[in-house]
Short mmCIF file of all heavy atoms in Angstrom, two decimals:
data_model
loop_
_atom_site.label_atom_id
_atom_site.label_comp_id
_atom_site.label_asym_id
_atom_site.label_seq_id
_atom_site.Cartn_x
_atom_site.Cartn_y
_atom_site.Cartn_z
N GLY A 132 185.58 87.30 119.61
CA GLY A 132 185.64 88.70 119.18
C GLY A 132 184.30 89.28 118.80
O GLY A 132 184.20 90.48 118.53
N ILE A 133 183.25 88.47 118.77
CA ILE A 133 181.94 88.95 118.32
C ILE A 133 180.78 88.51 119.22
O ILE A 133 179.71 89.13 119.23
CB ILE A 133 181.68 88.49 116.85
CG1 ILE A 133 180.49 89.21 116.21
CG2 ILE A 133 181.51 86.98 116.74
CD1 ILE A 133 180.32 88.95 114.71
N SER A 202 188.09 97.12 122.54
CA SER A 202 189.14 96.10 122.47
C SER A 202 190.44 96.75 122.92
O SER A 202 190.81 97.80 122.40
CB SER A 202 189.30 95.59 121.04
OG SER A 202 188.19 94.82 120.67
N ASP A 246 181.26 94.92 117.92
CA ASP A 246 182.20 94.05 118.61
C ASP A 246 183.27 93.53 117.63
O ASP A 246 184.48 93.63 117.89
CB ASP A 246 181.44 92.89 119.25
CG ASP A 246 182.29 92.10 120.23
OD1 ASP A 246 183.48 92.43 120.37
OD2 ASP A 246 181.77 91.15 120.84
N ALA A 247 182.81 93.00 116.50
CA ALA A 247 183.78 92.45 115.53
C ALA A 247 184.71 93.55 115.02
O ALA A 247 185.92 93.34 114.87
CB ALA A 247 183.02 91.82 114.36
N SER A 249 185.66 96.30 116.55
CA SER A 249 186.63 96.77 117.55
C SER A 249 187.85 95.85 117.52
O SER A 249 189.00 96.32 117.56
CB SER A 249 186.03 96.89 118.95
OG SER A 249 185.85 95.63 119.53
N THR A 250 187.61 94.57 117.39
CA THR A 250 188.73 93.62 117.31
C THR A 250 189.52 93.86 116.02
O THR A 250 190.75 93.90 116.03
CB THR A 250 188.18 92.17 117.35
OG1 THR A 250 187.28 92.06 118.45
CG2 THR A 250 189.30 91.16 117.50
MG1 MG B 402 185.38 92.48 119.56
#
Side-chain angles (χ1 to χ4, degrees):
I133 193 171
S202 290
D246 193 357
S249 74
T250 310

